[in-house]
């Protein structure tokens, strides 16, 4: 069974249909991409998967359990971790604290622990710190861990967000346009990271991306949407040869591919 | 460098501690009372700081939280003859319950709605206190008996100076522990970006409620001590101006930064004393604060206390 | 003696008057909230300024222009001063913070409120000022043993005319349409060439002028002005705006009238010392049960 199944997903905002009867699967251990022209409804799919939007119709299951009507934090607690299109770090906190936020999901201590600082609390604090440090090292940001997130360069902010997601030990990692605004070198690094996350930690990756280079380089499966519905699905090679996909992109005025 | 820094910091704190501890030996009662008042504001500001500074919730009715504590203790001592120390847990519990009742349904609302609900609730508390028999109506509760502490009857101002000094230290430790814990960090995430906090698995509504309760309990405890120190409480001490003063102390001082909050509170308590007898200026105090607030918000929304320098 | 029904009728009239004051102030709250999502804490103080200016100007002109003419001139002056004050607050205190977190904006509004009320406090030396209009308050239409005075009738009529004009303005004129458009999407408005800052400024001027009229009428009706009178009506008007659905212009009117009536009845049945508890209790209940108010539309939760 697929790790995540999206079936007949429909989402309407006050009369406008953003997603229509969308069905696809994300296989465990795969790297899958969702592509489509601007306004095709990609981010809406993402927001439905993570509980930020409420689907009008259809179902989304994760490991066989339905995610419909769950709050975002509940979905995160199940191991589905997302990043944001327009990087949303905790700006006035340090890089390290940002990354520790990922460990919230895998730790437990609360008010009493904070006040009494008993051994379990201390142990967990150390553990969280260790996880965060490791994740920072993985993305190569260890030296900047004490800087405030808002003072980082854009590329570093993106990497911090990756480290933060990684610290949550995701089963499924959802990346919303992770390459946006990165230069060629940073993109290559990103592709490496995505592969590394999957190969080393067994994380299933699902990404929305405009950057065709990246999509074709990392994906094993590509799902193409336009006007809220699926128009194609297949390996990168199949998609590149698909007439509908080419039309969807060339038929619009947008210049999105491969830049 | 880090080591030296820490040592300097420790030395400064130790010096401050010793200074504060020996001060009552040299000062007259009036000055001690001013200092006591400053510490009283520090306690309130530290409590509110958890709600406003740590979590970014706007509470315009913090006076109600310490009113609840003060009246709980006042009523238990006067009407039911309880020992002061035994009223403390009850006061904490009542404060927590009140925070739950008002917070649980409203904390998921828009942030500015919360501001107005807290304000409305504070008015309800104040008006109720003014009209109910058990709270002594407009004249309040008077001649509350002062407690004993290990055989010492706490009657002198120097006694209260030390009691509140100890409380300030306890509140600072609590604040620090909260800030550097999973709980406190979750509050910071909520303050910075609620959606991102949710995306990292933080149950934002629940943690906001915890923060709100924590702030209310600290306020309630402060209120209890206030009641026995003053020996009389009345609705006039818990009006909107009081809430506004505490809020301003937190915001101007530091928004989450403990030393900033302390300095802010001290400023608010001592400043009016300095200008009390100066004609004209004394009256313009709040006018000046208002202007300061606008200027600070526009130029330094993080408060006046400086950012931590980056550690290398 | 009054019969029970006459007492209730009397309270209803009082409630209507109070309600129209609330409604006029609530309109400013609601329009500003609708357009820049600011809970303008200083709005009650703008109302107070209106009352204060009205009283001061009438004191100066009543010798030459007694009665309604003088009052009209004073209210116009109050509208001008309050409108200007609202505009200045918007320009210098709020505009620099439009993209800042909402908490900063709210706190700035508290700052503006402190500045306005304490300025008047310093000028009036914390003393209440009393207003004598010289109008005969006994003339009116009799219903049994109670009288609805001409003053009351004129105030209700003025409020009604203002609310109708405002509705027409917002629905029929380009300016009004621009205001509604900005409330929906500021960036797009800027793209299609609407001068967003100008319209926001206009909203403040309009809201403040309405509050000033309410302040002026309250000054005539109740006969006194005090520097801190804006605080309570500010919260009450906000309550009214929330009851009606904040951001909604007809909602603010409905909410204001409703709150005024409920409060009058609350005074009748619970006693005047509890009437504020009643109003705030209502606010909290509405926020919990129907956070979008009676006429407000639910916001689509988008990120």
């Amino acid at each position: 069974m697929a790790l995540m199944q999206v079936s007949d997903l429909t989402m309407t905002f006050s009369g406008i249909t953003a997603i229509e009867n969308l069905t696809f699967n994300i296989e465990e251990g795969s790297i899958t991409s969702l592509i489509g022209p601007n306004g095709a409804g990609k981010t809406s799919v993402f927001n439905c998967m993570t509980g930020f939007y409420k689907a009008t119709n259809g179902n989304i299951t994760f490991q066989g359990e339905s995610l419909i009507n769950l709050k975002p934090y509940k979905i995160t607690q199940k191991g589905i971790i997302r990043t944001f299109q327009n990087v949303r770090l905790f700006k006035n906190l340090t890089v390290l604290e940002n990354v520790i936020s990922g460990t919230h999901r895998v730790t437990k201590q609360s008010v009493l622990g904070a006040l009494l600082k008993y051994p379990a609390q201390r142990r967990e604090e150390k553990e969280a710190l260790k996880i965060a440090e490791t994740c920072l090292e993985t993305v190569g940001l260890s030296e900047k861990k004490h800087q405030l997130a808002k003072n980082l360069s854009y590329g570093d902010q993106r990497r911090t967000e990756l480290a933060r997601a990684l610290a949550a030990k995701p089963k499924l990692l959802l990346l919303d346009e992770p390459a946006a605004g990165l230069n060629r070198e940073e993109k290559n690094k990103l592709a490496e990271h995505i592969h590394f996350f999957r190969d080393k930690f067994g994380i299933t990756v699902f990404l929305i991306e405009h950057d065709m280079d990246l999509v074709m380089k990392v994906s094993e499966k590509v799902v193409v949407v336009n006007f809220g519905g699926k128009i194609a699905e297949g390996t990168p090679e199949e998609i590149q040869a698909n007439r509908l996909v080419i039309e969807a992109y060339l038929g619009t005025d947008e210049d999105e591919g491969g830049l | 460098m880090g080591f030296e820094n820490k040592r300097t910091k420790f030395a400064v704190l130790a010096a401050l501690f010793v200074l504060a501890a020996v001060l009552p030996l040299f000062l007259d009662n009036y000055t001690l009372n001013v200092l006591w008042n400053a510490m009283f504001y520090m306690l309130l500001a530290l409590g509110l700081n958890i709600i406003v500074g740590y979590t970014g919730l706007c509470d315009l009715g913090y006076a109600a939280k310490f009113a609840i504590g003060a009246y709980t203790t006042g009523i238990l001592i006067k009407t039911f003859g309880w020992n002061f120390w035994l009223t403390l847990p009850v006061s904490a519990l009542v404060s927590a319950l009140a925070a739950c009742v008002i917070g649980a349904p409203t904390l998921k609302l828009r942030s500015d709605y919360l501001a107005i609900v807290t304000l409305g609730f504070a008015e309800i508390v104040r008006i109720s206190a003014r009209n109910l028999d058990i709270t002594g109506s407009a004249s309040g509760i008077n001649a509350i008996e002062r407690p004993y502490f290990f055989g010492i009857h706490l009657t002198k101002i120097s006694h209260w100076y030390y009691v509140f000094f100890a409380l300030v230290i306890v509140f600072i430790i609590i604040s620090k522990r909260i800030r550097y814990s999973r709980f406190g960090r979750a509050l910071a995430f909520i303050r910075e970006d609620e959606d991102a906090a949710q995306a990292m698995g933080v149950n934002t509504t629940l943690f906001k409620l915890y923060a709100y309760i924590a702030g209310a309990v600290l306020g309630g405890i402060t209120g209890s001590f206030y009641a026995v120190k003053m020996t009389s409480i009345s609705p006039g001490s818990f009006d909107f101006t009081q809430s506004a003063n505490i809020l301003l102390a937190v915001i101007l001082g530091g928004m989450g930064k403990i030393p900033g909050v302390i300095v802010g509170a001290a400023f608010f308590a001592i400043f009016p004393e300095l200008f009390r007898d100066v004609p004209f200026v004394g009256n313009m105090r709040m006018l000046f604060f208002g202007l300061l607030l606008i200027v600070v918000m526009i130029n330094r929304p993080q408060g006046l206390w400086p950012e931590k320098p980056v550690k290398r | 003696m009054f019969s029970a029904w006459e007492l209730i009728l009397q309270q209803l009239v009082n409630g209507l008057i109070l309600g129209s004051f609330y409604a006029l102030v609530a309109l400013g709250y609601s329009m500003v909230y609708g357009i820049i999502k600011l809970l303008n804490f200083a709005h009650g103080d703008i109302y107070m300024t209106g009352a204060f200016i009205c009283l001061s100007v009438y004191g100066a002109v009543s010798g030459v222009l007694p009665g309604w003419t003088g009052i009209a001139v004073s209210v116009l002056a109050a509208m001008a001063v309050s409108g200007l004050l609202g505009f200045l607050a918007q320009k210098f205190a709020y505009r620099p913070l439009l993209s800042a977190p909402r908490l900063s904006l709210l706190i700035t509004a508290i700052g503006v409120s402190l500045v306005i009320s304490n300025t008047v406090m310093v000028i009036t030396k914390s003393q209440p000022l009393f207003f004598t209009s010289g109008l005969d308050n006994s003339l009116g239409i009799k219903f049994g043993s109670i009288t609805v005075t001409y003053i009351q009738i004129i105030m209700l009529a003025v409020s009604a005319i203002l609310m109708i004009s405002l509705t027409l303005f917002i629905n029929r004129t380009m300016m009004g349409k621009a205001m509604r458009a900005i409330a929906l999407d500021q960036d797009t408005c800027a793209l299609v060439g609407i001068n967003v800052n100008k319209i926001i400024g206009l909203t403040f001027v309009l809201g403040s002028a309405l509050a000033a009229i309410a302040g002026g009428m309250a000054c005539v009706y109740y006969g006194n002005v005090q520097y801190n009178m804006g605080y309570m009506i500010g919260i009450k008007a906000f309550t009214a705006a929330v009851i009606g659905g904040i951001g909604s212009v007809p909602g603010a009117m409905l909410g204001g009238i409703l709150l005024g009536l409920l409060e009058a009845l609350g005074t009748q049945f619970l006693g005047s010392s509890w009437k504020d508890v009643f109003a705030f209790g209502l606010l909290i209940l509405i926020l919990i049960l129907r956070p979008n108010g009676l006429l407000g539309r639910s916001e689509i939760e988008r990120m």
Side-chain angles (χ1 to χ4, degrees), chain C residues 18-288:
Chain C
L18 185 63
S20 19
F21 296 161
Y22 286 162
L24 289 175
V25 182
L27 279 169
Y29 257 121
S30 219
M31 289 194 297
V32 165
Y33 193 91
I35 207 161
I36 58 170
K37 301 281 174 284
L38 161 69
L39 199 169
N40 187 5
F41 206 83
H43 196 58
D45 300 286
I46 301 263
Y47 158 94
M48 179 274 296
T49 310
F52 176 67
I53 296 291
C54 178
L55 183 144
S56 313
V57 173
Y58 190 72
V61 302
S62 60
V64 198
L65 301 166
W68 286 109
T69 334
I71 291 175
V73 170
S74 313
V75 170
L76 281 176
M79 287 168 70
V81 174
S82 289
L84 182 68
L85 200 58
F87 180 79
L88 292 178
Q90 178 270 141
K91 178 155 183 175
F92 293 109
Y94 304 147
R95 193 185 293 172
L97 284 161
L98 281 187
S99 55
R102 279 210 220 158
L103 186 62
S104 316
L105 203 57
L106 178 66
I107 287 162
T108 311
I110 297 178
V112 173
S113 163
L114 286 176
V115 170
I116 298 177
S117 61
N118 283 280
T119 306
V120 176
M121 186 192 94
V122 170
I123 296 173
T124 62
K125 303 192 174 60
S126 313
Q127 296 304 311
L129 304 176
F130 296 99
F131 183 86
T132 30
S133 62
L135 299 172
D136 189 343
N137 203 13
S138 62
L139 299 178
I141 304 170
K142 284 202 184 318
F143 296 92
S145 57
I146 68 153
T147 308
V148 179
T149 66
Y150 289 127
I151 298 181
Q152 291 176 321
I153 292 171
I154 289 174
M155 284 181 179
L156 288 176
V158 169
S159 308
I161 292 169
L162 283 172
M163 289 185 223
I164 294 169
S165 325
L166 184 75
T167 310
L168 290 176
F169 173 81
I170 285 183
N171 290 323
R172 300 283 167 82
T173 63
M174 276 316 273
M175 289 268 200
K177 285 178 185 164
M179 276 169 60
R180 285 189 295 154
I182 290 178
L184 285 177
D185 189 338
Q186 222 170 60
D187 295 337
T188 311
C189 284
L191 280 179
V192 297
I194 296 175
N195 186 338
V196 174
N197 280 338
K198 195 175 116 191
I199 300 290
I200 294 178
L202 176 82
T203 311
F204 271 88
V205 171
L206 212 58
S208 305
L210 286 175
I213 299 176
M217 292 201 297
C219 151
V220 174
Y221 189 66
Y222 297 117
N224 63 61
V225 173
Q226 198 166 8
Y227 73 96
N228 57 7
M229 70 192 270
Y231 166 66
M232 200 45 105
I233 196 163
I235 312 173
K236 294 286 185 60
F238 179 79
T239 307
V242 168
I243 291 175
I246 196 151
S248 150
V249 166
M253 299 175 191
L254 178 73
I257 303 285
L258 213 56
L259 183 65
L261 287 175
L262 285 171
E263 218 181 285
L265 292 179
T267 310
Q268 179 68 31
F269 294 113
L270 300 172
S272 60
S273 47
W274 291 100
K275 74 178 195 315
D276 291 342
V277 168
F278 183 70
F280 294 128
L282 198 68
L283 168 73
I284 294 175
L285 267 185
I286 295 248
L287 280 179
I288 293 168

Side-chain angles (χ1 to χ4, degrees), chain B residues 144-165:
Chain B
I144 301 167
E145 201 195 331
R146 281 178 161 167
Y148 287 84
F149 183 68
F150 290 110
I152 307 166
H153 198 188
L154 301 173
T155 49
K156 287 192 201 153
I157 179 64
S158 57
H159 294 152
W160 289 106
Y161 175 92
Y162 284 118
V163 169
F164 275 68
F165 182 57

Side-chain angles (χ1 to χ4, degrees), chain A residues 52 72-73 76-77 82 84 88 90-93 97 100-102 104 107-111 114-117 121 125 146 148 150 164, chain B residues 174 177-183 185-186 188-189 191-193 195-204 207 210 302 307 310-312:
Chain A
F52 282 89
Y73 77 91
T76 302
Q77 284 171 357
R82 69 171 294 169
F84 291 88
R88 291 177 73 166
F90 306 113
K91 293 201 182 70
N92 295 304
L93 302 181
E97 279 179 309
I100 291 181
S101 76
H104 186 90
T107 46
K108 285 195 198 64
Q109 297 299 322
S110 190
V111 188
L115 294 180
L116 302 179
K117 264 192 161 176
Q121 155 87 8
E125 280 292 300
H146 290 305
L148 293 186
K150 66 178 174 193
R164 179 173 78 176
Chain B
I174 291 176
R177 288 198 166 182
I178 289 180
R179 174 64 188 86
Y180 297 101
S181 71
R182 176 174 179 266
F183 170 51
R185 282 191 302 265
F189 305 147
R191 180 193 67 213
E192 292 291 314
D193 186 333
D195 284 330
Q198 279 241 359
M200 296 333 288
V202 178
N203 183 347
T204 48
F207 274 80
Y210 285 163
Q302 302 300 320
E307 297 266 6
V310 178
K311 279 186 252 165
R312 304 246 172 226

Side-chain angles (χ1 to χ4, degrees), chain B:
Chain B
M1 192 180 129
F3 180 64
E4 262 177 39
N5 243 336
K6 245 186 188 158
R7 255 172 71 171
T8 334
K9 198 174 158 189
F10 182 75
V12 170
L13 284 180
L16 274 177
F17 181 87
V18 172
L19 181 71
V22 298
L23 265 182
L25 303 176
F26 307 105
L27 295 176
D28 59 65
N29 281 352
Y30 169 78
T31 318
L32 274 182
N33 206 39
V34 170
L35 289 180
W36 166 80
N37 193 39
M39 293 194 287
F40 166 61
Y41 267 98
M42 287 174 198
L43 295 179
L44 292 176
L46 284 168
L48 181 63
N49 184 44
I50 293 176
I51 300 174
V52 177
Y54 284 2
T55 325
L57 300 168
C58 190
D59 188 329
L60 295 181
Y62 198 65
K65 275 93 184 166
F66 92 91
I68 288 175
Y71 272 104
T72 306
T73 290
I75 291 170
L76 285 177
I77 293 179
K78 274 294 273 198
T79 315
F80 300 98
W82 280 39
N83 177 309
F84 166 71
W85 303 102
L86 293 178
T87 70
L88 286 179
V90 182
S91 159
L93 195 69
V94 175
S95 305
L97 277 179
C100 253
V101 167
I102 203 70
T106 48
L107 281 167
K108 53 181 188 283
L109 298 174
R110 287 181 258 179
S111 53
D112 28 17
Y113 274 19
L114 179 73
I116 217 76
V117 167
T118 52
L119 200 158
F121 178 68
E123 285 297 323
I124 292 180
V125 168
R126 190 176 63 84
I127 297 169
S128 304
R130 204 177 55 200
N131 290 301
L132 291 173
D133 286 336
I134 190 153
T135 51
S137 307
S139 54
I141 300 177
N142 299 300
I144 301 167
E145 201 195 331
R146 281 178 161 167
Y148 287 84
F149 183 68
F150 290 110
I152 307 166
H153 198 188
L154 301 173
T155 49
K156 287 192 201 153
I157 179 64
S158 57
H159 294 152
W160 289 106
Y161 175 92
Y162 284 118
V163 169
F164 275 68
F165 182 57
L167 281 175
V168 168
I169 290 173
V170 171
F171 276 34
I172 289 176
I173 292 173
I174 291 176
S175 298
K176 283 237 170 220
R177 288 198 166 182
I178 289 180
R179 174 64 188 86
Y180 297 101
S181 71
R182 176 174 179 266
F183 170 51
R185 282 191 302 265
L187 302 185
F189 305 147
I190 292 172
R191 180 193 67 213
E192 292 291 314
D193 186 333
E194 208 174 324
D195 284 330
Q198 279 241 359
M200 296 333 288
V202 178
N203 183 347
T204 48
T205 315
L206 186 69
F207 274 80
K208 278 197 260 181
L209 185 61
Y210 285 163
Y212 196 61
I213 293 174
V217 168
L218 291 186
I221 296 280
T222 308
S224 293
F225 278 94
Y226 174 82
V228 284
K229 190 271 170 186
M230 298 303 285
T231 69
S232 71
I233 46 176
S234 66
S237 327
F238 310 103
D239 60 2
F240 175 69
T241 321
Q242 192 71 275
S243 296
N245 279 341
I246 309 165
L247 183 69
L248 299 188
V250 171
I251 287 163
L252 286 180
M255 281 288 251
K257 292 166 224 125
I258 295 169
V261 169
I262 300 259
V263 173
F267 177 74
F268 260 81
I270 296 171
F271 188 81
E273 295 298 328
L274 300 180
F275 290 96
R276 169 158 297 190
D277 302 324
V278 185
F280 204 55
V281 178
N283 264 335
M284 300 200 10
R285 182 169 60 91
M286 289 313 279
L287 175 61
F288 170 74
F289 279 152
L291 279 175
L292 188 66
L293 205 54
I294 300 170
V295 173
V296 167
M297 276 299 118
I298 291 174
N299 297 303
R300 285 193 68 96
Q302 302 300 320
L304 287 173
W305 196 258
E307 297 266 6
K308 250 189 211 160
V310 178
K311 279 186 252 165
R312 304 246 172 226

Side-chain angles (χ1 to χ4, degrees), chain A residues 33-42 177 207-213 215-216 222-227 229-233 236 239-259:
Chain A
S33 297
L34 181 69
I35 64 169
N38 257 348
K42 299 182 301 289
E177 297 196 22
L207 57 151
I208 294 181
E209 195 43 81
H210 276 314
D211 188 285
M212 287 307 147
D213 272 355
V215 168
M216 296 307 160
V222 180
V223 178
V224 191
V225 288
N226 198 13
F227 300 115
K230 182 166 81 176
I231 57 172
E233 180 176 353
I239 293 302
Q240 275 168 315
N242 189 306
R243 193 178 49 83
L244 276 174
V245 176
I246 296 166
E247 266 174 22
Y249 274 89
L250 298 181
T252 63
D253 288 330
E254 280 139 352
D255 182 13
E256 297 292 348
L259 287 177

